[in-house]
């Protein structure tokens, strides 16, 4: 097996997710008896909003915070640029299909070059189609999958995945860690 480096990119925002970075492995993941996991490199991007925005957050409900975060044009442009600047196959995970997933997919698709394959996956995509996308990506070297956390965070194995971008916040540490597991499979 060829050992491929999986780079996990976390976009940490102003909610309780910032504590996750302290609980992530710093250097290498356990490779197991058969050396089946790739090296792990986590990069945390902490977005600094203006002082005015940060003060207003104290007055907002959690749902209002999420709406602000996923609807923030500058943040979504950063996610788009990040996804397209990553080398190798990239998985962009989101929570809300209509409010965040589809707009991100459109932004990435519009900005990507014609040679780069960009896929969209949500619960509305049939299981057979998801499996076909997974198989296509395993043969690609530079594709992007924009997928909902519900469909691609657990229970899917993509062997040729190099980058994961968490586009949506999640309070679930388990879900985040399971999602990271998508990028730890070694390529053949």
């Amino acid at each position: 097996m060829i050992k491929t480096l999986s780079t996990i990119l976390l976009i940490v925002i102003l909610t309780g997710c910032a504590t996750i970075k302290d609980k992530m492995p710093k250097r290498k993941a356990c490779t197991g008896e058969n050396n089946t996991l790739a090296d792990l490199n986590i990069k945390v991007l902490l977005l600094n909003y203006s002082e005015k925005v940060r003060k207003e957050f104290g007055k907002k409900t959690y749902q209002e915070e999420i709406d602000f975060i996923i609807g923030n044009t500058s943040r979504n442009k950063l996610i788009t640029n990040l996804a397209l600047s990553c080398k190798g196959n990239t998985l962009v995970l989101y929570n809300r299909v209509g409010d965040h997933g589809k707009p991100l997919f459109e932004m990435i698709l519009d900005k990507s070059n014609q040679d780069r394959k960009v896929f969209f996956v949500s619960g509305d995509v049939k299981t057979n189609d998801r499996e076909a996308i997974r198989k296509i990506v395993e043969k690609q070297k530079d594709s992007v999958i924009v997928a909902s956390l519900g469909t691609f965070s657990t229970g899917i194995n993509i062997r040729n995945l190099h980058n994961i971008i968490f586009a949506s916040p999640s309070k679930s540490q388990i879900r985040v860690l399971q999602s990271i597991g998508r990028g730890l499979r070694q390529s053949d």
Side-chain angles (χ1 to χ4, degrees):
M1 287 190 171
I2 298 171
K3 213 176 197 183
T4 61
L5 179 65
S6 293
T7 302
I8 309 303
L9 301 170
L10 299 176
I11 297 180
V12 182
I13 43 88
L14 296 173
T15 66
C17 298
T19 58
I20 289 173
K21 70 179 182 180
D22 299 325
K23 297 178 181 169
M24 296 297 177
K26 300 293 185 221
R27 294 195 181 144
K28 270 188 151 179
C30 175
T31 57
E33 292 178 21
N34 298 326
N35 204 28
T36 56
L37 299 180
D39 289 340
L40 173 67
N41 180 15
I42 296 175
K43 295 180 183 177
V44 177
L45 299 179
L46 184 59
L47 303 182
N48 291 315
Y49 295 99
S50 70
E51 184 66 27
K52 179 183 175 192
V53 169
R54 289 195 303 263
K55 283 182 180 180
E56 289 175 8
F57 262 67
K59 302 172 191 164
K60 295 185 182 291
T61 66
Y62 177 73
Q63 195 54 56
E64 289 171 331
E65 289 180 17
I66 298 298
D67 292 342
F68 170 81
I69 290 164
I70 66 173
N72 187 294
T73 304
S74 297
R75 183 180 184 278
N76 289 334
K77 284 180 182 177
L78 179 119
I79 293 167
T80 297
N81 292 335
L82 184 60
L84 294 173
S85 68
C86 287
K87 302 297 180 213
N89 292 325
T90 300
L91 175 61
V92 179
L93 294 170
Y94 65 87
N95 262 330
R96 293 181 10 199
V97 177
D99 295 337
H100 201 212
K102 286 183 180 178
L104 274 177
F105 170 71
E106 293 297 331
M107 289 173 72
I108 292 168
L109 186 63
D110 288 347
K111 197 166 181 182
S112 67
N113 66 46
Q114 292 179 345
D115 297 332
R116 192 164 198 183
K117 293 191 184 308
V118 180
F119 301 96
F120 179 77
V121 178
S122 71
D124 294 335
V125 176
K126 294 178 184 174
T127 305
N128 292 344
D129 293 338
R130 290 182 216 164
E131 180 61 17
I133 290 169
R134 184 192 66 77
K135 286 181 179 179
I136 291 168
V137 170
E138 284 188 347
K139 295 175 183 171
Q140 296 294 309
K141 296 194 185 318
D142 199 30
S143 64
V144 177
I145 303 173
V146 181
S148 68
L149 276 160
T151 57
F152 267 45
S153 65
T154 60
I156 189 160
N157 184 12
I158 304 174
R159 291 201 166 274
N160 194 20
L161 188 60
H162 305 94
N163 312 290
I164 300 174
I165 298 171
F166 292 90
S168 296
S170 176
K171 285 187 172 184
S172 172
Q173 182 179 352
I174 292 170
R175 184 176 251 187
V176 171
L177 292 172
Q178 288 174 331
S179 299
I180 289 171
R182 303 309 105 219
L184 293 178
R185 309 306 196 275
Q186 286 195 6
S187 299
D188 294 328

